[in-house]
Amino acid sequence: MELLRTWLGHPEDIYHLLRFKMGGYRAVMPRMDTDSLGCGLRTCYRYLNQTSRSFAAVIQALDGELRHAVCIFYLVLRALDTVEDDMSIPLDVKVPMLHEFHSHLYQPDWKYTESKEKDRQVLEDFPTISMEFRNLSKVYQDVISDICHKMGVGMAEFLEKKVDSLREWDKYCHYVAGLVGIGLSRLFSASELEDSIMGQDTDLANSMGLFLQKTNIIRDYLEDQLEGREFWPREVWSRYAKKLSDLAKPENIDVAVQCLNELITNALHHVPDVLTYLSRLKNQSVFNFCAIPQVMAIATLAACYNNQQVFRGVVKIRKGQAVNLMMDATNIQAVKAIMYQYVEEIYQKIPSTDPSSNKTQQVIASIRALSLPGSPMASRHHYSPIYLSCAMLLAALSWQYLSTLSKATEEYVQAGDN
């Protein structure tokens, strides 16, 4: 039924899914040969695939030794995040753990076996991860240890307080995502696949992380409410409701959407930094790694903008749409065209009565100035009748083939990893 709905509503998605499955994925997610890896690294990559839906494939597509450094970086931060998320750990135990977690990277036998979280294997077998961390070049170790330390301190700070102001929202997102962007940029430079400026310009790298994190927070409103978490800034939502949970009430849907639109407008302010950052990248595997999550994020924000469904269920981009973005986002001009397309989609949905309408129009104007279409990629919504007929014919011939779409693809295009 899902394939039939796609065929009827978005027939071009059938073509994109087929193109991806029939070889398009190799350009962005080439398979890594694990046979040549030692036992410890093979174990780390197994943990990577078990704990990451979105990033496992693109991490494994990175070039050279950078791939191993980013894999270990991810697992170390996943372990740290697992400690933060585990509500069974008392605060008087958790706070010191977060502060000191980076030191365990140099303690061969340290592990934690009392976690109740689903990703607890990265804590229970931390000695394997820390061993591979110590096998990395010192320049990589220094980056990973430093970011782990700063993130642990930041996580501890927000354990007992909620996000009140927009400034605190930026601060929280910096701790949990901006630091990741900064750390990755320093790893890119350390690998010499990218210039030193990538690791030095922390403002741009921070914006890369903030854009992704704010998108996740905005989209995940209902899920977080159901699990007792609140990440929307009080400074914004308090102008629309007495309690953040009130936005989910049917009678408040109009003001809830206005609040949503204001937060999306805030997130869009990071897009110019994202485009500047991506324009500086030289290595193709690094570009793909950085660009794919960003285009997924702008597509997600476009789907969420002025959408009541954010307060009723889950808003996702379509699988065909996702794989098309993955295959297209391989150069800066294509990414600019994608950004242009989705901010135009948002622009067309701006209600004239929305309190944030002027600010939304202004930030979209600044993005337009950086991403004016100058290539055929800009016409990404135009499909001729012949094109659509071919897509439909391919779909009819490949119904069973598509039903067995690879697990890696299915998991990646959920576009919702932490």
Side-chain angles (χ1 to χ4, degrees), residues 179-190:
L179 282 172
V180 179
I182 291 169
L184 286 168
S185 300
R186 290 169 61 186
L187 292 177
F188 299 157
S189 294

Side-chain angles (χ1 to χ4, degrees), residues 211 267-276 298 301 339 343 367 370:
F211 185 58
L268 288 174
H269 281 89
H270 298 291
V271 172
D273 279 354
V274 168
L275 292 174
T276 301
I298 192 66
L301 289 183
M339 292 289 187
V343 296
I367 297 170
L370 289 173

